[in-house]
Every structure is written in C-alpha cells, then in structure tokens.
Amino acid sequence: MIQSSPVKARGRLSAADYHRARFPSVKRIPPERRRRITHRALPTLGGLAAVSLVAGALVGASADSAAERAATDFAAAWERGDVRAMYRLLTQGSQARYPLARFRRAYDRAAATATLTSIDPGEPEGVHDGQVTVPVVLATRVFGSLRGDLDIPIADGRVEWQPRLVFPTLRSGERLTRSSLPPRRATIHSRDGKVLARGPAPSRMSPLVGIADSIAGRMEPEETSAERRALYARGFPADWPVGQTGLEEVFEHRLRGRPGGELLAGGRVLARARPRAGRAVRTTIDTRLQEAAVIGLAGRLGGVAALDPRNGEVRALAGIAFSAPQPPGSTFKIVTTTAALERGVVKPSTEFPVETQAIIDGVELENAGGEACGGTFRNSFAHSCNSVFAPLGLKIEAGPLVDAAERYGWNARATIPGEVPSTLPPAAQIDTPLELASTAIGQFETLATPLQMASVAQTIAMRGVRYPPTLSPARRPRGVRVTSRRVARTIGSLMVDVVAYGTGTAAALPDARVAGKTGTAELEDTRDPETGETLPPDPTNTDAWFTSYAPAGRPRIVVAVMLVRAGAGGATAAPAARVVLDAALP
C-alpha cells in the first residue's frame, strides 16, 4: 500500500485556504460592469418557489444619500470578506444584540451552507421604507451563479442588522439550510486497466487491493471539526468519507465528483442542483510490480518505490514509500559523488588510504562494521567507505553539496499529494566540519523517502536528467538536467560495481546487470554515554536502504527500498529490491 504505517501523511487545508473555502474574498469590480453583471440572465434566488423578493417601487432618494452609502459600504465589506468592517457599520443596538463572534458565525454558516465562493454586489437601487435594495450575484460551488436582492435596513446612516441579511432573499424568521445529494464516487484503475478501488467505502474495494496491500488507501470522514466544516462548505454532508491515504487521497478531487441538493430558505427552495459523478482515474501503477513490492516488504515497517526511469511514472508504492522521511545513510553518497565529480575533487582512479574510520572534530566516523576500506575511489564507492566520504564532504564544502542535493529534489515541493518532502539544512546551517562530514554520508539532518531515493537513481539511469515522479499517465514528462551526462555515466558505472562486487551483491540478477547503492543509516548515538566508546553493532539501531535500476545499459525499472531498524542495507534492503527488479524484467 502507499501508506500503511503509524506514520501517516495527510493533506490538510491551511488556515488561509479554509477561510477562503468558508467565506469569500474577491477583487472589486468597476460599477459599470457590476451593474451589467447583476442584471444579466442568471437563476434568481427563490425563482423555483415562484417568490419575488424585489423591494418594490424605488423612492427618489439621492444616489449619494447616507443610507445608500451605508448599504454600499456594507455590501463592499461583505464582498471582500471583511467581517469587522461590516460589523462597524451596524447600529449600536444591533451590536448590543449580536456580538461580533455571533455575527461572524452567522455569515460563516450561511456561506458554508450555500457553498458560497464569492459575491458581487451591484449599485444600490433605491430606498424604500427605510431599506436599501442592493442586487447581488453569488457564485457557489454546487448551485452555480445565483442572483438575488439584499434589502438592508438603514437607521441614521447605519445598518439595522437582522439575521436574514446573511443571504439575499431570506425573510425574517427563515433559516438558510441545505439538503445534500452526494455524487457517485469514481473508480481507480491500474495502468493495465484493473480496478483498484470502487465506491465510497473500503468494503467496495476490488479484491485486487487486498493482494496489493491496499494501495488504493482508505476512506474515512474528515477527522477535525475544521476539516468537516470545509467539507460541508464544498457541498458534502459533514460526515461524508473522503480519501485519507493512498491513491484515494492522491486523486480525491477527481474521484469525489460534485454534490447536488437543494438550497432552502425555511420551506422555500431557492436553488437546486444535480450531483455529478466523479471521473474515473487511471494511474501509472503496475499491479504486478505492486504485488512484488508488497512481497519484498514482507510486512516489515518500511517503504518500496518503483519508477519507470524514462518518464518518472510510479509503477509501485508500498508501505511508507513517500510519507515518512528517514536518514538515507550511504545512498546519499550518490549526491556527494555528484558534487565531488563536478568540482573535480575526485576521479574514479583517485587513491585514498585504507582506514577503518575518519576522525572529524575529534569524533570517530567508522566504516560499517569497523571494516578497513579505501584504495581507489571506485573501490571506496563500491564498499561505501565512510572513512573516504566523510573527509570528502569537507573538500566539497556545504554550498556545492546542498546545491547538488536540491537539484536531485531535496527541499522541493512535493509532486504527489500526501508526499512528505525530503529535506536537508541550508548550507548556512551546516555549521561545523562534523555536521558537514555527517551530511556527506547521509546523516546529520538529512532526510529522504524511498520515492526520493528512487528519483536519484532514476536521474543517474537517464544520464543526469530527472523526471519528477508522477502517478498520472496523462502528464507529459518534462525532464530537468541535474548533472552532466559524463558525471551521471561515471556514477552509473560505480553503481554497477556496488552490485558486482561491493556491498550490494544480494541485488544481483542472473540475466541483467543491476546498478545500485546500499545505505545503512544510524538512528541513535552509537557511543556509550558514560565511556564514550563505540558500542557493538545493533541492527535495530539502523535503517536499511538500497536504491537501484536495471538493466544497467538500457534501464527499464528503478527500485528503492527502506526498512526501518532492519540492519544493513546490503543484507536486508538489497534482497527486497531484487524481488521487484526481477518481477519487472521477466
């Protein structure tokens, strides 16, 4: 599945988005155009009940009268969503009867009930019996554009406010309500046309979803009161289930359709709308590879991501593949190598001493298992020597290292809804040599998801061009060059060596060359807090990583795996990736 762990990524409305959803704010329109708009042929509120709420004959008051100015200012403040400005225009008696909080709630409820998105008041049409009539055009999500007259009582140049003023055509004692007709939810299909999910409830999902570990995700009612109110403002019942995880969340806006229903003023029908079914969604998911990803994950906490290297299309996502960034460990050395090659700091043939550790700021950064390694840079990459890469980070410097990472997608906006971005600190916040050396080996505050590390391998597979991951086959891929063909080709050859004789031999396939990089990321301090001595290796203190592509010469699949607290990447993550690689290359 896309997200099945206790770590859950959910798309939430920002405060600004929620305010816009429940209460309108739009640009002012010139008076001449406003008059044309408010008199065009639009459905008239209350027309379905054959009720006319026109104020009656206009009285010959001056257009610049205090009453009309007050009504104009009140409507203009409503148009821009300035509740305080509206409230300041009320009479003292109205303010005493209706405190600001109650006044604001009244408009919030009316806007949500009508699914209001904007209002466009026209010029006042005169004063009659102490009321100024203002024509208003209202844009709603469910009922389209509506037209109605707002009769605003004015006393001594101020608004004598009544609850009916929250919406045009309301009469005294009437309450604005809505009956909702939810739409039929659309189906989710795999790349090969199989149904992954059907209908609004998990019980109606395809049996295939169980085989593929619920990649479609789950549907539940919105969890917080703010989200439920926002859902209601979109025209749905407040307890209507929406996509919370997986593909259900990613494609929620397309799947749910548009609700219908009736807008009511007391017993009068002001407007009606029919529900419109959601549009079926075809994804890039390959069900065969999805099943392989789930098999490779084998119920362990972690994530698997598989991409088509030629366009960035996601072929499989299992577990916490894009929702819970973790330290990437030595898989990040692909980025460090990119920066080093670009700056001319190393060549594959550059020689390094054979050592068990590097000492940075007096701190020992050991090789995995305390092994001695070094020699040529090619050999150091294949065996993932921290003793080489930690000092190498100091030669590269923080600026170029962070720049290379950001070109690969770190600190970038997510391309898939629900995705949690992969991050690392800006160069200015990598203060010490130890922090820089730790960053160069994928530690310190560097975080990544399997999807991000798959994207790194995809970039190398395509000779330095990155295609941002996508779940939509309709998207036309647009690649971005991350590094030169020469640098990418060199790194690709180094990754082939990792699987041929280095730390990633468990990912090797009999009939295709695999290019990969292992990673073993420490999660907690490995030194004894009392003595400061290095503690024995603890598999439960490391995340296991592997990112790869195959065949190395003509790449057709990219696979990245991360297993939480599962030991060494070469021992546990590489075999899991091999399951998916093998399934993709029959």
Side-chain angles (χ1 to χ4, degrees):
M1 65 178 184
I2 290 184
Q3 298 169 13
S4 64
S5 89
V7 185
K8 183 178 69 171
R10 299 205 48 248
R12 296 182 182 275
L13 291 172
S14 67
D17 289 339
Y18 172 64
H19 182 75
R20 283 192 292 270
R22 69 176 186 168
F23 202 84
S25 176
V26 296
K27 186 184 294 186
R28 295 296 305 276
I29 296 178
E32 306 80 32
R33 181 168 175 264
R34 186 188 306 279
R35 180 171 292 277
R36 290 197 300 272
I37 291 174
T38 54
H39 286 79
R40 65 191 175 196
L42 292 174
T44 302
L45 288 168
L48 292 170
V51 177
S52 173
L53 296 180
V54 178
L58 300 179
V59 187
S62 168
D64 295 326
S65 70
E68 288 186 316
R69 285 199 301 273
T72 298
D73 291 345
F74 185 81
W78 187 20
E79 177 187 8
R80 64 178 183 268
D82 192 343
V83 177
R84 288 185 178 275
M86 297 168 66
Y87 192 73
R88 286 195 295 269
L89 292 167
L90 270 55
T91 63
Q92 291 184 353
S94 297
Q95 291 180 351
R97 288 190 297 275
Y98 303 103
L100 176 59
R102 180 180 175 187
F103 179 80
R104 184 189 299 275
R105 283 196 302 271
Y107 278 93
D108 286 348
R109 282 195 298 266
T113 299
T115 69
L116 197 61
T117 59
S118 67
I119 68 166
D120 186 9
E123 297 300 310
E125 295 190 344
V127 182
H128 178 74
D129 293 338
Q131 297 188 129
V132 177
T133 300
V134 178
V136 180
V137 172
L138 308 100
T140 70
R141 291 183 176 84
V142 170
F143 305 103
S145 294
L146 303 172
R147 188 188 70 213
D149 290 332
L150 190 68
D151 297 327
I152 306 176
I154 305 293
D156 297 326
R158 304 185 75 80
V159 175
E160 189 71 45
W161 194 80
Q162 303 169 13
R164 67 173 177 80
L165 294 179
V166 297
F167 202 76
T169 78
L170 278 181
R171 299 170 182 171
S172 295
E174 287 184 333
R175 182 183 178 188
L176 191 69
T177 60
R178 185 185 79 221
S179 64
S180 296
L181 292 174
R184 178 168 53 84
R185 192 171 181 85
T187 54
I188 303 175
H189 298 265
S190 67
R191 178 170 175 260
D192 48 358
K194 296 178 180 178
V195 176
L196 295 176
R198 187 194 312 275
S203 61
R204 294 191 65 195
M205 288 183 180
S206 161
L208 178 63
V209 178
I211 298 173
D213 201 19
S214 302
I215 184 175
R218 71 176 189 275
M219 296 184 59
E220 293 178 357
E222 295 281 15
E223 293 183 352
T224 71
S225 58
E227 290 167 332
R228 287 194 294 270
R229 288 195 298 269
L231 182 68
Y232 181 73
R234 294 194 292 265
F236 291 87
D239 60 349
W240 189 247
V242 298
Q244 298 280 341
T245 63
L247 299 179
E248 293 281 10
E249 179 186 16
V250 171
F251 295 107
E252 171 63 25
H253 289 280
R254 288 176 56 182
L255 293 168
R256 68 187 178 201
R258 192 192 71 184
E262 292 182 340
L263 185 63
L264 304 167
R268 296 183 298 122
V269 178
L270 301 182
R272 287 193 180 100
R274 293 181 178 178
R276 186 171 62 197
R279 293 175 294 151
V281 171
R282 180 172 173 262
T283 72
T284 62
I285 294 296
D286 184 313
T287 53
R288 185 168 50 87
L289 295 187
Q290 178 65 31
E291 292 173 23
V294 173
I295 292 171
L297 196 57
R300 292 170 290 188
L301 178 58
V304 179
L307 304 176
D308 185 326
R310 297 162 291 190
N311 51 26
E313 291 185 357
V314 177
R315 293 290 179 252
L317 289 173
I320 50 175
F322 64 89
S323 62
Q326 300 286 306
S330 293
T331 55
F332 189 80
K333 289 173 182 173
I334 297 173
V335 178
T336 304
T337 301
T338 300
L341 292 172
E342 290 175 342
R343 288 176 63 80
V345 175
V346 295
K347 296 184 294 186
S349 59
T350 302
E351 290 284 341
F352 292 88
V354 176
E355 297 176 321
T356 60
Q357 63 187 17
I359 299 178
I360 310 292
D361 282 352
V363 177
E364 299 174 354
L365 297 179
E366 287 192 335
N367 295 322
E371 69 170 332
C373 70
T376 65
F377 182 71
R378 179 175 294 279
N379 188 70
S380 300
F381 188 96
H383 292 283
S384 202
C385 302
N386 289 340
S387 58
V388 171
F389 276 85
L392 186 61
L394 305 186
K395 294 181 180 180
I396 296 169
E397 299 182 343
L401 183 60
V402 171
D403 174 67
E406 290 183 336
R407 279 183 272 137
Y408 275 106
W410 268 267
N411 297 334
R413 187 170 59 183
T415 60
I416 295 175
E419 177 186 356
V420 179
S422 298
T423 59
L424 82 168
Q429 293 180 17
I430 302 176
D431 296 324
T432 68
L434 180 60
E435 291 175 352
L436 179 53
S438 298
T439 300
I441 60 174
Q443 299 279 173
F444 184 45
E445 295 179 2
T446 308
L447 297 173
T449 61
L451 182 61
Q452 172 62 36
M453 293 316 306
S455 186
V456 171
Q458 177 273 310
T459 303
I460 300 302
M462 288 295 100
R463 301 293 187 261
V465 176
R466 178 175 183 261
Y467 293 99
T470 180
L471 281 160
S472 175
R475 193 208 70 173
R476 298 183 63 181
R478 175 177 292 181
V480 177
R481 180 157 292 283
V482 171
T483 191
S484 68
R485 291 179 63 89
R486 179 184 60 81
V487 168
R489 189 165 51 245
T490 298
I491 295 174
S493 72
L494 298 176
M495 292 174 67
V496 168
D497 290 346
V498 169
V499 180
Y501 65 86
T503 56
T505 56
L509 295 174
D511 300 321
R513 283 193 309 157
V514 177
K517 183 68 189 79
T518 58
T520 304
E522 294 176 350
L523 302 176
E524 298 162 5
D525 198 335
T526 59
R527 293 167 297 180
D528 188 298
E530 295 182 359
T531 65
E533 296 180 355
T534 302
L535 296 169
D538 179 6
T540 66
N541 187 35
T542 56
D543 285 349
W545 285 86
F546 188 71
T547 189
S548 58
Y549 63 87
R554 297 177 64 86
R556 300 206 308 270
I557 189 66
V558 170
V559 179
V561 175
M562 183 272 294
L563 300 172
V564 177
R565 296 188 180 276
T572 57
R578 186 183 188 277
V579 173
V580 186
L581 292 167
D582 190 46
L585 304 172

